[in-house]
Amino acid sequence: MMKRVMLPTCKRTKRYLFTTNTVDIAHVSNTAKSPSINNTKPPTAVVFMNMGGPSTVDETNDFLYQLFSDNDLIPISKKYQHIIAKYIAKFRTSSIEEQYKVIGGGSPIRKWSEYQASEVCKILDKTRPLTAPHKPYVAFRYAKPLTDETYKQLLKDGVKRAIAFSQYPQFSYSTTGSSINELWRQIKKLDPNRSVIWSCIDRWPTHHSLIKAFASNIKGALSEFSEDVRSNVTLLFSAHSLPMDVVNTGDAYPAEVGATVYAVMKELNFSNPYRLVWQSQVGPKPWLGAQTLEISKFLGPKSHGLLFIPIAFTSDHIETLFEIDKGIIEASPHKHKFKRCPSLNGSDIFIKGLADLVKEHLDSNTLYSKQLPLDFVLGKSNDPITHPSEVFGDHSKNLIKEEEKN
């Protein structure tokens, strides 16, 4: 049972300071009423957090600027990061715009994120009526809708309880950590009185929904190879790489991606030879390898077939549609032996599992994983939170202190 300490206030309203790292969801949902006349409950926000991508070609420059401005992802310079980002974005915009034109005129990640979040909330309204209605939101780090846009909408909608649901299944300080740091900046800017109680699903690398959805898609893709070679096709699980200076801080990402791969292979009864490889490295610095492109070149002439599986992505975007499909498969002289496993996108198995994951999170009353404080001890940033408890949980105690002053 959660302990509550009653604190005195200058008003006759009851406020509680929670003394554990959990939040009483039932209390928030059943007592926090909307000021509207019909006295309906405020929605429980399910906020899908991801890097995002430009939905149109014209948004490419802004996307690149936001990306290269992020010191958590690309540590360049505390003082001059934004200036340098402006010039890098300008230099790279033209070539990246061409890539987005090739894949249909923009990234589909917003479309899929909004669809997944919407379907998850429909399921939750049925499976967890205690916290209904559940309302879907998307908060991207580098593309529209940015975190500040989404937070403003939360406040407009009267949200009192929100789950920051990282759509990076495997935690990295440079991705999920960056999104949490940005959320904290927007809380301080837009919600200093802490009207929204936040919790976080910060990692889920071996959750059954993820593993079963990947395994199902892999089985379907393998069935497209001829039966005589099917069991000998090499599975190349490809994840976005990290610079080694980030890995060497103790970042959790490599181990958690490896955990996902192993769990998927276990689900498949280790039916095929497999390897974990890494893509999307840029610049002269050492990055985590082996590189997807180089391994595919080496194995191409020797293998019965290669199946590329985007293991760290939950929907299609430029790294799957251009980098793998165009840059690796179509460009290879062995492309007749290469296939890419479909991304999770609208998978019913996946979406139902995401709803299960949110329900489990709500049922547990957990604010964040036990690993998250250590992630922020090890992670390096120019503008970090000091501890997840700053961001997540009931911070009405801050309001109480202000009332007492007055």
Side-chain angles (χ1 to χ4, degrees), residues 7-19:
L7 297 180
T9 73
C10 63
K11 297 181 180 180
R12 293 185 179 181
T13 55
K14 293 181 180 180
R15 297 180 186 264
Y16 296 100
L17 170 62
F18 296 101
T19 59

Side-chain angles (χ1 to χ4, degrees), residues 43-88:
T44 299
V46 180
V47 185
F48 275 33
M49 302 178 74
N50 208 332
M51 68 182 295
S55 297
T56 66
V57 172
D58 290 341
E59 296 175 24
T60 303
N61 183 263
D62 288 343
F63 168 75
L64 292 175
Y65 171 74
Q66 293 287 346
L67 187 148
F68 286 105
S69 295
D70 184 4
N71 187 263
D72 297 338
L73 180 70
I74 306 171
I76 299 175
S77 166
K78 182 176 182 178
K79 186 175 182 180
Y80 299 108
Q81 181 104 13
H82 290 284
I83 297 173
I84 296 170
K86 180 180 178 181
Y87 286 99
I88 296 175

Side-chain angles (χ1 to χ4, degrees), residues 241-250 254 285-289:
S241 188
L242 274 184
M244 286 306 298
D245 54 4
V246 176
V247 175
N248 290 337
T249 65
K285 282 186 174 183
W287 285 63
L288 189 63

Side-chain angles (χ1 to χ4, degrees), residues 279-300:
Q279 66 180 89
S280 307
Q281 45 269 66
V282 294
K285 282 186 174 183
W287 285 63
L288 189 63
Q291 295 183 21
T292 305
L293 176 60
E294 297 306 316
I295 289 294
S296 68
K297 287 179 178 179
F298 181 78
L299 291 179

Side-chain angles (χ1 to χ4, degrees), residues 17 23-24 94 110 121 156 180 182 184 197 228 236 250 262 275 280 297 300 321 326 338 351 367 391 399-400 402:
L17 170 62
V23 60
D24 191 338
S94 179
R110 179 173 184 172
C121 287
K156 183 178 179 181
I180 293 173
E182 178 63 15
W184 176 228
I197 296 176
D228 59 320
L236 290 183
Y262 192 84
R275 281 296 182 272
S280 307
K297 287 179 178 179
L321 298 174
K326 306 296 183 182
F338 293 0
I351 290 171
L367 292 179
V391 181
L399 300 180
I400 296 168
E402 289 300 317

Side-chain angles (χ1 to χ4, degrees), residues 112-113 115-116 167-170 204-205 207-218 260 264 308-317 320 340-354:
W112 285 119
S113 296
Y115 174 77
Q116 291 165 352
Q167 293 305 292
Y168 309 102
Q170 305 92 3
W204 38 291
H207 192 266
H208 66 84
S209 64
L210 188 69
I211 304 310
K212 290 185 180 298
F214 272 127
S216 177
N217 281 7
I218 291 169
T260 305
V264 171
F308 298 86
I309 303 147
I311 196 64
F313 306 129
T314 59
S315 63
D316 277 321
H317 57 315
T320 58
R340 177 174 66 83
C341 182
S343 297
L344 300 177
N345 293 339
S347 163
D348 290 338
I349 298 172
F350 178 60
I351 290 171
K352 183 180 182 303
L354 291 180

Side-chain angles (χ1 to χ4, degrees), residues 152-170:
K152 290 173 185 176
Q153 189 62 49
L154 289 176
L155 296 175
K156 183 178 179 181
D157 293 343
V159 169
K160 300 300 180 185
R161 174 75 177 90
I163 302 107
F165 189 178
S166 174
Q167 293 305 292
Y168 309 102
Q170 305 92 3

